[in-house]
Amino acid sequence: MSEPFDEGFITRYLLGDLPEQEQIEIEDRAFTDARVMQDVLAVEADLIDEYVQGRLKDRERRQFETRFLASAERRQKVEFARALAQVARESVLTETIRRPSAAIAPATLWTALLATFRSTGPAFRLSLAAASLVLVVGLTWLTVHTLRVRSELAQAQSEQQDLEGRLADERARSQKLADQLQGEQQQRERDQELIRELERPREEPANDRSQSAILSFALLPGVSRSGGSATTLTIPQSTRLVRFQIGIQPGDDYKSFRVNVLSSVGRQIWAQDNLSARSGRGGPLVLLSVPARLLSAGEYELALKGVTDDGRTEDVGYYYFKVRKN
Amino acid sequence: MEASSDALAEESTSNTRSPRSRWVLTQGAFDTLLACLDDNRDDAGRKYVEIRKNLIRFFEWRGCPFPEDHADETINRVARRASEGEEIRNPAGYVLGVGRLVLLEVYKEREKEHRALSELSHTTAARSYDFEEVEPRAECLKHCLEGQTADNRELILQYYHGEAAAKIENRKKLSERFKTPINTLRMRALRLRERLQVCVGDCLKTL
């Protein structure tokens, strides 16, 4: 296989700068060796680009114009090269703006930009410079504006989060107050119920006053319903109030206690919040007063729950008892 | 067998556009020409297209004003010779030989014109060419590029961009980027350039 021609040699051929015999040599090879043909075409494309970008020396430019602008077919190639150069320039400028550290090395980019300026007319250069200035000013303004808007947006979001947090706190506080109010109302209703129960004996006949209106009853923890050992409470007819002394463990330190008294079928008979623990002879206990008339004969479950400082509710114990009526 | 300058030159006329013979290409002569190029008609057709394309390039390289006309004139002459029974062993070389004879005639015609219009040289005429407005062609090129893959777009725009040193550096980077040898990359870029030029030409016709 013959050696490929040097690119400079092919360039001289294309510019008509070679003796006839060397021209024939290149043409013969190009017609019989596709690789040589491709080499000549590749050099031709580069030469056209060089001309379009104004990089040919005067003599070369004149030779080029004599040879390359002679036929319509070749002029089309030159026209195409002009369009390609323009689109490539725009592409590089776009890439420069979009990706300052693009794949092209900075030096290459710089030389490319310089070449772009060199290959254009004064009017275009002036327009390009003006456009660049407008672009730089615009980008600067856009960057500053974007940063300011982002900062304001972040501040607004922060304020919004702050407000939402405060609103949530206020809602929680309001709910807590409403719960407390409801609890206190319920407590007051129960107190009034208890007071009414306590006041009723005064209206009873004198012969019934001998019997106590209040019946105290101790409930111990751990007494299960299934164990069959549920405490039986016998409530006389004259009893108005049953006071439960609910025993708890010494470690059951809660802010307050809540009690639910349920019948054997699960119906709530009595419920009370905000009960406090106090010391008794057998240990700490919680006192609960229930109107006797609510406790008909049957089996009951008393659920005692402790309320922690942070408002959570924990099971303390379940107590079971039977009621008999005399 | 190489073409004879005298035998072929006497067939030409003094047409300024192209040296034309009075002989007209017939279907029989064209079939004979194809048979000279290859036994298989399809392959012969492909070779014919390739030879014609190369002839046009040859006349372009030599700075002729009507490369296609000169190429067709050359092929007509070869077809005539073939139909007259001349044995053509090396079609590419034979055709190029005939092409050179046509080229000589083109040069002679041009000399006559220059002498007649001594004050107007060919160089001056060539330089007086006014380039077309680049925008429509650039827009068409952008449109054609949209039909290409992202890799092809990057290849064509990077491969042909930059000054001499920067261009070489760009091409090295592209070679690494596409993991393709420089020579292969050059052929790929060239074929792509040719395709785009055809696409742009078609696009301009629709404007």
Side-chain angles (χ1 to χ4, degrees), chain A residues 130-157:
Chain A
S132 301
L133 184 62
V134 169
L135 195 63
V136 168
V137 170
L139 281 176
T140 306
W141 178 85
L142 194 62
T143 306
V144 170
H145 182 68
T146 304
L147 288 173
R148 195 172 61 205
V149 168
R150 278 185 185 170
S151 171
E152 287 173 359
L153 183 63
Q155 191 177 349
Q157 284 174 339

Side-chain angles (χ1 to χ4, degrees), chain A residues 27 39 65 67 74 79, chain B residues 61-62 127 129 186:
Chain A
E27 289 158 359
D39 285 345
E65 286 170 345
R67 290 243 167 181
R74 251 186 168 179
E79 296 282 13
Chain B
W61 294 341
R62 290 298 190 116
R127 267 193 249 166
Y129 171 72
R186 182 163 73 157

